[in-house]
Amino acid sequence: MKDDVDIVLFLERLGRMLKNDTHADGLKPSQWDALRYLARANRFSRTPSALTAYFGMTKGTVSQTLKALERKGLIAKTHDPLDRRNIRLSLTKAGSALLKRDPASAIRKIAGSMAKDQQAELVAGLNALLQLTLEDRGSKSFGVCKTCRYFEEKTASRASQRCKLLDVSLSVQDSELICVENITL
Amino acid sequence: MKDDVDIVLFLERLGRMLKNDTHADGLKPSQWDALRYLARANRFSRTPSALTAYFGMTKGTVSQTLKALERKGLIAKTHDPLDRRNIRLSLTKAGSALLKRDPASAIRKIAGSMAKDQQAELVAGLNALLQLTLEDRGSKSFGVCKTCRYFEEKTASRASQRCKLLDVSLSVQDSELICVENITL
DNA sequence: CCTATTTGTTTCGTGTCGATACCAATTGGG
DNA sequence: CCCAATTGGTATCGACACGAAACAAATAGG
């Protein structure tokens, strides 16, 4: 019954240190999280609801965070012309510039100093745990676009890569970013 | 320059999900954290300042969290008679009982369902990263008492286990709990 | 059309958290 | 021995986090 090592203790403590690091530059941890996400998500996935699903927060909370970021001039909101309920988010120049000073880089750098094979094992383990957790709560996995079943490679007969689900062509950049619609199988 | 996998993304997301889980039973995530810590710390380490160091928060924040837990009847505070500046914290019966319904157990259980060797690799990786991070910011490691250099085994000539640093005898329980003073080397 | 659903926003109450000022107990140097 | 300096905690402030619930606007689907 008594766990010798409790994984929750590690996640909790590392998560808290990561969070405590990210109180810099007048931004709060959640605001850094959102900024980081927007930098890595493709254009279909830079919306408030995608952010909501990605971090498992409520839409009210996300709305507040985005409002703060917009007020600070770090992100911009535009209505999707095709469905005016959707808000498209994007980093402003200031937002991109600020991300270069991401305080989380401290931990990123420390992780990078670990032995390569241990890094790989750690990432594999974290990923497995994350996938199981997402599965457990029926959430989407948010993989990278080009790993998706709906991703269609560029061929001789097709001018560019495409998303078969949304029926649009994809830039190389888009296909390497995080996508809400990602379905790995 | 471009990281294929960013460990911060995993820690951030898993940490956030863990945190979002722990809004149950009228307690906030930090309050669960504190409760969990108090259940695993030995008697020298159940103080506000130990908690402060363990989670890397400020003492003001910790003070607030503990005030809330005391108000809810989950912990008790007593002055150390030897140094009346020190506050000794302890879980009340209600606190211990509540911990049995720790919402973080969901993730704990999911982690338990992973392959044993992958679990071991994950924990080893998390621990390595944590140690490096702590080292980087000059914090204490907070290991388990009996792994400490100041720990003295029970022998034929000594009635019980001892802590050579604080010069006190230790119960078996104490020696298996987290200690602020732990110095592994 | 006219309701139901989807997507976001607003408001509210409790709590977090760093910063700062503060207080009481202890320690230590002259 | 005494008066700073230090140590361990608390109080207050302001910005924000967060779930919950009420709301608004656009779209979907009979």
Side-chain angles (χ1 to χ4, degrees):
Chain A
M1 205 60 197
K2 181 173 184 176
D3 289 328
D4 281 348
V5 279
D6 182 356
I7 199 157
V8 168
L9 250 60
F10 286 102
L11 288 177
E12 180 183 82
R13 212 172 156 200
L14 272 170
R16 188 166 289 282
M17 300 207 146
L18 182 55
K19 177 179 168 186
N20 290 346
D21 273 355
T22 56
H23 272 278
D25 282 285
L27 292 201
K28 297 289 175 175
S30 310
Q31 299 174 1
W32 280 111
D33 285 353
L35 232 47
R36 234 174 266 128
Y37 172 83
L38 291 178
R40 305 195 72 125
N42 72 13
R43 61 191 151 117
F44 313 115
S45 309
R46 291 194 291 262
T47 69
S49 62
L51 243 172
T52 301
Y54 189 77
F55 286 121
M57 298 185 287
T58 60
K59 49 189 185 170
T61 298
V62 169
S63 189
Q64 292 308 308
T65 299
L66 294 175
K67 196 165 75 172
L69 288 174
E70 190 184 22
R71 181 161 29 82
K72 293 174 184 178
L74 302 171
I75 64 170
K77 295 179 179 178
T78 52
H79 281 277
D80 180 340
L82 294 175
D83 183 342
R84 291 185 50 75
R85 287 173 304 184
N86 289 306
I87 302 276
R88 300 279 165 205
L89 303 166
S90 55
L91 290 180
T92 61
K93 282 214 170 71
S96 301
L98 188 57
L99 249 187
K100 291 193 178 25
R101 298 204 304 278
D102 184 356
S105 292
I107 285 203
R108 202 174 274 131
K109 199 175 162 191
I110 289 172
S113 76
M114 291 169 60
K116 289 297 168 211
D117 53 344
Q118 191 167 32
Q119 276 186 60
E121 282 176 8
L122 177 54
V123 167
L126 287 173
N127 189 46
L129 181 56
L130 179 57
Q131 295 309 322
L132 287 170
T133 304
L134 290 170
E135 196 180 307
D136 184 60
R137 57 193 71 183
S139 306
K140 302 196 170 190
S141 69
F142 279 79
V144 168
C145 188
K146 64 180 174 185
T147 66
C148 178
R149 68 188 300 187
Y150 293 118
F151 182 69
E152 207 171 39
E153 294 281 0
K154 176 177 173 181
T155 64
S157 60
R158 253 192 314 280
S160 68
Q161 317 172 92
R162 299 185 59 75
C163 172
K164 288 186 283 184
L165 179 65
L166 303 176
D167 193 30
V168 291
S169 63
L170 296 167
S171 70
V172 174
Q173 281 167 339
D174 270 340
S175 72
E176 285 175 348
L177 294 172
I178 294 168
C179 184
V180 221
E181 308 290 356
N182 185 284
I183 298 175
T184 307
L185 185 85
Chain B
M1 204 59 196
K2 180 174 185 175
D3 289 328
D4 281 347
V5 279
D6 182 356
I7 201 156
V8 168
L9 250 59
F10 285 102
L11 288 177
E12 182 182 81
R13 211 172 157 199
L14 272 170
R16 188 165 289 283
M17 300 205 148
L18 181 55
K19 177 179 167 184
N20 290 346
D21 274 356
T22 55
H23 272 277
D25 283 285
L27 293 199
K28 296 288 176 178
S30 311
Q31 299 174 1
W32 280 112
D33 285 353
L35 233 46
R36 233 174 266 126
Y37 172 83
L38 291 178
R40 305 195 70 127
N42 72 12
R43 61 191 152 116
F44 312 115
S45 309
R46 290 192 292 261
T47 69
S49 61
L51 243 172
T52 300
Y54 189 75
F55 286 120
M57 298 185 289
T58 59
K59 49 187 187 171
T61 300
V62 168
S63 188
Q64 292 308 306
T65 299
L66 294 175
K67 196 166 74 171
L69 288 174
E70 189 183 25
R71 182 159 28 83
K72 293 175 185 178
L74 301 172
I75 65 169
K77 296 178 178 178
T78 52
H79 280 277
D80 181 340
L82 294 174
D83 184 341
R84 291 185 51 74
R85 288 173 304 180
N86 291 305
I87 301 277
R88 301 276 166 207
L89 303 166
S90 56
L91 290 180
T92 60
K93 282 214 170 69
S96 301
L98 188 57
L99 249 188
K100 292 193 177 25
R101 298 204 304 279
D102 184 356
S105 292
I107 285 202
R108 203 174 273 132
K109 199 175 161 190
I110 289 172
S113 76
M114 292 168 58
K116 290 297 168 210
D117 54 344
Q118 190 166 33
Q119 277 186 59
E121 283 175 9
L122 177 53
V123 167
L126 287 173
N127 188 47
L129 180 56
L130 179 58
Q131 295 309 321
L132 288 171
T133 304
L134 289 171
E135 196 180 306
D136 184 61
R137 58 193 71 185
S139 305
K140 302 197 170 188
S141 70
F142 278 79
V144 168
C145 188
K146 64 180 174 185
T147 66
C148 178
R149 69 188 299 186
Y150 292 119
F151 182 69
E152 207 172 38
E153 294 281 1
K154 176 179 173 181
T155 64
S157 60
R158 254 191 314 280
S160 66
Q161 318 171 92
R162 298 186 60 76
C163 172
K164 288 186 282 183
L165 179 65
L166 303 177
D167 194 30
V168 292
S169 63
L170 296 166
S171 69
V172 174
Q173 281 166 339
D174 269 341
S175 72
E176 286 175 347
L177 294 173
I178 294 168
C179 183
V180 221
E181 308 289 358
N182 184 284
I183 298 174
T184 307
L185 185 86

